[in-house]
Amino acid sequence: MVKTGAIYRSLVLSVSIASQSAGVNTHVLSRTVIAVKNAVMRLVGLLAVVMLVFESALLFTGVVFRYFLHKPIIWSDELAQSVFIWLCMFGAALALDRHEHMRLTAVVTRFSKRAQHWFETLGLLIILLFAAYLIGPGFHHAGGQMVVTSPALNIPDGYRAMAIPVGMCLFAFIAVSHLLTHSRWQDILSAAAVIAVVGYALWFFADFLYDIGNLNLIVFFVLVLGACVMSGVPIAFCFGIATLAYIVNIAEVPPSIVVTRIDEGASHLVLLAVPLFVVLGVLLQISGMARKLIDFMSSVLGHIRGGLNYVLLGAMFLVSGISGSKVADMAAVAPALFPEMKRKGADENDLAALLSATGAMTETIPPSLVLITIGAVCGVSISALFIGGLVPALVCTLAIALVCYLKSRKAAQDTRERARAAEIGRTFLWALPVLVLPIIIRVCVVEGVATATEVASIGIVYVIIYAVIMQLAIGGLEKSRIYPMLVEATSLSGAILLIIGVATAMAWALTQSGFSTTLVDFMTHIPGGVFGFMTVSIVLFVILGSVLEGIPAIVLFGPLIFPAARAMHIHEVHYAIVIILAMGIGLFAPPLGVGFYSASAISKVNPDKVIPKMWLYLAVLLITTFVIAFVPWFSIGFL
């Protein structure tokens, strides 16, 4: 131990002396690294924006040719999916360089500034380790996909899959550049030593961890994952390094499986709705439509204390389920409404908490991909699920509205006098185009004009036409904001999509461990009859929702658990609605819920400040879920 400490101190001293003697050379190196990194990221940003614009145009063109010209473009989805994974990785790289990946910093900020810099260095080294470990498997995966050709375009799939190793190279490059320009050598060496010790301990005790069975999940997905989260490491890379550590030491499968799972999770075409809805929100701000909507809602509800919170609730209810993704639902609403709501005096952290709460409860509103998936894999009538999901969503909305009312009574938010009828009428006419937009989106999906993925492109074209007309009529369009906001949209989208992709890899690891089978066996033998089964189901799916996306969890656990529910004579529609609500709570429950960090990212706030404001909303939603669980009429009363 003494020798090790002496060696370490000698190494640190040598590096320090070398750094001091280098002097100007070190400064020149830092400037060179920064210049190269900035040039690379400008190119990445430009490519990402071009891809985003291209995706929007491609999907809208596909809608026009298929629905209006009756000449579908059979290769459009293939091309869109190929470009999408590149957009995802480039956006995630932009987010990493811009420090826009979501992370939990509540613990780290309690330390000194020097300790915070050390934790930042630790995080960069973990990112570097994760990315560097997957570069080789990523290129191997892409090479293997070269023999697979797309049906319509007849292009090797390896060109699409190549996005992941290229993204990993970008992550590693950004991490190294930040380490060289912002971290002290002493911090780099000490943080690397900590990582090496933990890695060696996991390797040394691998046989013991393997022998204790699923208890080893506590080590990897509670201790390692929790330590990374508390250290302020970006959430996506926390998920990734914990999964990679489990697979390397326990799972006896090649690391390339992480690459394939990330590829699968981040390549799901329906997730393309996320960046498109982010762009839609950007355009709503730039065009002024969001401001006109808020002015109208404010004229109607502005004299009511906390009235703008009800506007957010109503907006989420209108657009929920359209894209099949809670993240896309939030991305469609928050960027459009939040700037004006903040200007009206609303607290941004409470708005993020309210956005999370609404996201947690709106997945039962049709059309929803989770409802469709659970109907398909569990043999439940999808039309019955569509009917059964409306009343529970309304009950949850009323419960959250009650919380908003009670909080508004104590809030110091400014109010104003009731608007005159003339003002309401004037603001209504100005807001009519944006009020029509949710109706257009929903009708296009329900009537089959566009898929859940394509519908955002219709909204984008609609807003662009509106903006052009307004520019010709009255001017005022801030064209200089368009490109920077598109770059910001790609960065935000990449950060969210990387979390989803890596969470898919973690979900696979949990499934392959046999944890799901053990859990289901436990549930079928719990005491308490229906009451006990429903209680455990709610708790279980809250936990699952915190680590899994809704669709993977349903696909994995639905076919196993639903037979047990039917054996206990629980109505399948009722049970489906309850577990969807429970998963929603888990998905938006800090500190692990992916949806919570997505909502914070979309809201552009620090998640640490949102957490204290989340608990009341989550508690009310949990109580409401139990009420719905033990009063089946809410789910099946109109069947």
Side-chain angles (χ1 to χ4, degrees), residues 44-54 56 87 91 94 98 100 275-276 278-283 286 460 464 479-494 604:
V44 170
L46 175 61
L47 291 174
V49 169
V50 170
M51 291 176 185
L52 188 57
V53 174
F54 174 76
S56 303
L87 173 62
L94 284 172
R98 294 156 59 100
E100 292 178 349
L276 294 187
V278 171
V279 172
L280 179 58
V282 167
L283 293 176
I286 295 175
I460 290 173
I464 290 175
K479 294 182 286 293
S480 61
R481 296 176 59 198
I482 295 177
Y483 182 77
M485 294 189 77
L486 287 176
V487 173
E488 187 175 343
T490 60
S491 173
L492 172 61
S493 302
K604 301 177 185 177

Side-chain angles (χ1 to χ4, degrees), residues 21-315:
S21 63
V24 177
N25 291 335
T26 303
H27 181 64
V28 171
L29 175 63
S30 297
R31 291 177 57 186
T32 303
V33 170
I34 292 174
V36 172
K37 189 262 297 180
N38 288 343
V40 171
M41 296 317 297
R42 281 195 294 269
L43 176 61
V44 170
L46 175 61
L47 291 174
V49 169
V50 170
M51 291 176 185
L52 188 57
V53 174
F54 174 76
E55 292 277 38
S56 303
L58 177 62
L59 292 180
F60 181 76
T61 302
V63 172
V64 172
F65 271 79
R66 185 186 66 249
Y67 190 82
F68 295 100
L69 303 181
H70 305 291
K71 296 180 180 179
I73 304 175
I74 59 175
W75 46 263
S76 60
D77 282 354
E78 287 182 7
L79 182 57
Q81 192 170 30
S82 297
V83 175
F84 175 53
I85 187 65
W86 283 93
L87 173 62
C88 170
M89 300 309 293
F90 281 176
L94 284 172
L96 181 59
D97 184 52
R98 294 156 59 100
H99 304 283
E100 292 178 349
H101 275 281
M102 298 312 300
R103 65 184 74 197
L104 186 68
T105 59
V107 177
V108 174
T109 52
R110 297 179 182 273
F111 293 95
S112 65
K113 289 293 183 182
R114 182 169 180 177
Q116 291 181 38
H117 287 304
W118 185 88
F119 279 111
E120 183 68 24
T121 300
L122 176 68
L124 289 171
L125 286 173
I126 289 175
I127 293 170
L128 176 60
L129 175 63
F130 173 75
Y133 208 101
L134 292 182
I135 289 175
F139 280 111
H140 182 266
H141 169 67
Q145 292 298 109
M146 284 295 182
V147 300
V148 180
T149 57
S150 58
L153 292 173
N154 200 31
I155 295 176
D157 188 57
Y159 294 127
R160 181 197 61 80
M162 193 68 70
I164 295 180
V166 170
M168 294 299 166
C169 289
L170 285 173
F171 297 159
F173 169 71
I174 294 168
V176 169
S177 65
H178 285 191
L179 285 169
L180 291 176
T181 55
H182 297 98
S183 296
R184 301 164 63 244
W185 283 106
Q186 295 91 330
D187 290 343
I188 294 175
L189 291 172
S190 59
V194 169
I195 295 173
V197 168
V198 173
Y200 176 78
L202 293 175
W203 172 81
F204 185 82
F205 292 105
D207 291 339
F208 169 75
L209 293 173
Y210 183 85
D211 292 338
I212 63 175
N214 283 344
L215 289 177
N216 58 40
L217 298 177
I218 298 175
V219 174
F220 294 97
F221 296 108
V222 177
L223 298 181
V224 173
L225 176 60
C228 290
V229 171
M230 296 303 173
S231 297
V233 181
I235 297 299
F237 296 98
C238 293
F239 290 166
I241 202 67
T243 304
L244 190 60
Y246 174 80
I247 286 176
V248 169
N249 291 284
I250 303 295
E252 298 181 337
V253 294
S256 58
I257 195 67
V258 178
V259 176
T260 60
R261 296 300 110 180
I262 293 175
D263 188 2
E264 178 185 339
S267 296
H268 203 299
L269 191 59
V270 73
L271 292 175
L272 184 53
V274 174
L276 294 187
F277 270 122
V278 171
V279 172
L280 179 58
V282 167
L283 293 176
L284 285 171
Q285 291 185 58
I286 295 175
S287 66
M289 294 179 76
R291 184 178 64 254
K292 293 176 174 59
L293 174 64
I294 296 300
D295 287 342
F296 167 64
M297 294 293 185
S298 180
S299 69
V300 176
L301 299 171
H303 63 284
I304 303 174
R305 187 175 295 272
L308 294 177
N309 291 333
Y310 306 136
V311 175
L312 176 61
L313 277 172

Side-chain angles (χ1 to χ4, degrees), residues 438-460:
I439 299 174
I440 294 175
I441 290 175
R442 184 169 293 277
V443 169
C444 286
V445 173
V446 174
E447 297 298 323
V449 177
T451 66
T453 304
E454 297 168 333
V455 71
S457 66
I458 295 178
I460 290 173

